[in-house]
Amino acid sequence: QVQLVQSGGGSVEDEGSLRLSCTASGAVESVDCLGWFRQTPGKKREGVAAIYTKNDTTYYPESNMRGRFTVSQDNAKNTFYLQMNSLRPEDTAMYYCVADVLCPPWERLHYVSEGTQVTVSS
């Protein structure tokens, strides 16, 4: 089992920045893919970013987030991050960190955090 504890998030104005952190514990060696997804009421889950732990390959499935969002990891701390810059009101959502043996990690939701709200005001 892997436990994910998320921190960060909150409210920010348009064009602001936030950083989310997610610390993994437990059988962390069992997962190879870490990532983030977001969700708003009435909309389907949206993958944000993923990182393959073996070689730091990153994946951003949506073009509207590439260049603004960056996923990274600190293996020594078992922590990975989502740096979000140039935030827009449409980025408002609940953000979750997720881990799995497969990429992208938001497909099966094998291990998921409790999530944190990100609100961007115009």
Side-chain angles (χ1 to χ4, degrees), residues 20 27 31 38 45 64-65 74-75 77 82 86 96-97 100 103 107-108 115 117:
L20 306 181
V31 293
R38 67 187 187 185
R45 184 188 322 148
N64 63 347
M65 286 179 265
D74 183 336
N75 290 331
K77 297 180 179 179
L82 181 68
S86 301
Y96 301 85
C97 59
D100 203 340
C103 283
E107 293 289 331
R108 301 192 302 172
Q117 178 68 35

Coordinates of all heavy atoms in Angstrom, one line a residue, residues 20 27 31 38 45 64-65 74-75 77 82 86 96-97 100 103 107-108 115 117:
L20 N 1.8 22.6 -5.5 CA 1.2 21.5 -4.8 C 2.3 20.5 -4.5 O 3.2 20.3 -5.3 CB 0.1 20.8 -5.5 CG -1.1 21.7 -6.0 CD1 -2.1 20.9 -6.7 CD2 -1.7 22.4 -4.9
A27 N 4.8 1.5 0.5 CA 5.5 0.7 -0.5 C 5.8 1.6 -1.7 O 5.3 1.3 -2.8 CB 4.7 -0.5 -0.9
V31 N 5.5 1.7 -7.0 CA 4.8 2.6 -8.1 C 5.9 3.2 -8.9 O 7.0 3.7 -8.4 CB 3.9 3.7 -7.4 CG1 2.7 3.0 -6.7 CG2 4.7 4.5 -6.4
R38 N -7.2 16.7 -12.0 CA -8.2 17.6 -11.4 C -9.6 17.3 -11.8 O -9.8 16.6 -12.8 CB -7.8 19.0 -11.7 CG -8.0 19.4 -13.2 CD -7.4 20.8 -13.5 NE -7.7 21.2 -14.9 CZ -7.3 22.3 -15.4 NH1 -6.5 23.1 -14.7 NH2 -7.6 22.6 -16.7
R45 N -13.0 13.7 -14.9 CA -11.6 13.8 -14.5 C -10.7 14.2 -15.6 O -10.8 13.8 -16.7 CB -11.2 12.4 -14.0 CG -9.8 12.3 -13.3 CD -9.5 10.8 -13.1 NE -10.6 10.1 -12.6 CZ -10.8 8.8 -12.9 NH1 -9.9 8.1 -13.6 NH2 -11.9 8.2 -12.4
N64 N -3.5 23.0 -22.9 CA -3.7 24.3 -22.2 C -3.0 24.3 -20.9 O -3.0 25.4 -20.3 CB -5.2 24.5 -22.0 CG -5.8 23.4 -21.1 OD1 -5.2 22.4 -20.9 ND2 -7.1 23.7 -20.6
M65 N -2.3 23.2 -20.5 CA -1.5 23.3 -19.3 C 0.0 23.2 -19.6 O 0.8 23.5 -18.7 CB -2.0 22.1 -18.4 CG -3.3 22.4 -17.7 SD -3.9 21.1 -16.6 CE -4.9 20.2 -17.7
D74 N 11.3 14.7 -6.0 CA 12.5 14.7 -5.1 C 12.5 13.3 -4.5 O 11.8 13.0 -3.5 CB 12.4 15.8 -4.1 CG 13.6 15.8 -3.2 OD1 14.3 14.8 -3.1 OD2 13.9 16.9 -2.6
N75 N 13.3 12.4 -5.1 CA 13.3 11.0 -4.6 C 13.7 10.9 -3.2 O 13.3 10.0 -2.4 CB 14.2 10.2 -5.5 CG 13.7 10.0 -6.9 OD1 12.4 10.0 -7.1 ND2 14.5 9.9 -7.9
K77 N 13.1 12.7 -0.8 CA 12.0 13.0 0.2 C 10.7 12.3 -0.1 O 9.7 12.5 0.5 CB 11.7 14.5 0.1 CG 12.9 15.4 0.5 CD 12.5 16.9 0.4 CE 13.6 17.8 0.8 NZ 13.2 19.2 0.7
L82 N 3.7 19.8 -8.1 CA 3.1 20.4 -9.3 C 3.2 21.9 -9.1 O 2.6 22.5 -8.3 CB 1.6 20.0 -9.4 CG 0.9 20.6 -10.7 CD1 1.5 19.9 -11.9 CD2 -0.6 20.3 -10.6
S86 N 1.0 31.1 -14.1 CA 0.0 31.8 -15.0 C -1.4 31.1 -14.9 O -2.0 30.8 -15.8 CB 0.5 31.7 -16.4 OG 1.7 32.3 -16.6
Y96 N -5.8 16.4 -7.2 CA -5.4 15.2 -6.5 C -4.1 14.7 -7.0 O -3.8 14.8 -8.2 CB -6.5 14.1 -6.8 CG -7.9 14.5 -6.4 CD1 -8.7 15.2 -7.2 CD2 -8.4 14.0 -5.1 CE1 -10.0 15.5 -6.8 CE2 -9.7 14.3 -4.8 CZ -10.5 15.0 -5.6 OH -11.8 15.3 -5.2
C97 N -3.3 14.2 -6.1 CA -2.1 13.5 -6.6 C -2.4 12.0 -6.6 O -3.3 11.5 -5.8 CB -0.9 13.8 -5.7 SG -1.0 13.4 -3.9
D100 N 0.7 5.1 -9.4 CA 0.4 3.8 -9.9 C 1.6 3.1 -10.5 O 2.6 3.8 -10.7 CB -0.7 3.9 -11.0 CG -1.5 2.6 -11.2 OD1 -1.0 1.5 -10.8 OD2 -2.6 2.7 -11.8
C103 N 1.5 4.2 -16.2 CA 1.2 5.6 -16.6 C 0.1 5.6 -17.7 O 0.1 4.7 -18.5 CB 2.5 6.3 -17.2 SG 3.7 6.8 -16.0
E107 N -5.6 6.9 -14.6 CA -6.5 6.0 -15.2 C -7.2 5.0 -14.2 O -8.5 4.8 -14.3 CB -5.8 5.1 -16.3 CG -5.3 6.0 -17.5 CD -6.4 6.4 -18.4 OE1 -7.5 5.8 -18.5 OE2 -6.3 7.5 -19.0
R108 N -6.5 4.4 -13.4 CA -7.0 3.4 -12.5 C -7.2 3.9 -11.1 O -7.9 3.3 -10.3 CB -6.1 2.2 -12.4 CG -5.8 1.5 -13.7 CD -5.2 0.1 -13.5 NE -3.9 0.2 -12.8 CZ -3.2 -0.8 -12.4 NH1 -3.7 -2.0 -12.6 NH2 -2.1 -0.6 -11.8
G115 N -7.0 15.2 -1.9 CA -7.2 16.3 -2.8 C -7.2 17.7 -2.1 O -7.3 17.7 -0.8
Q117 N -8.3 22.0 -2.8 CA -9.0 22.9 -3.7 C -8.0 24.0 -4.2 O -7.3 24.6 -3.4 CB -10.2 23.5 -3.0 CG -11.0 24.6 -3.8 CD -11.7 24.0 -5.0 OE1 -12.2 22.9 -4.9 NE2 -11.8 24.7 -6.1

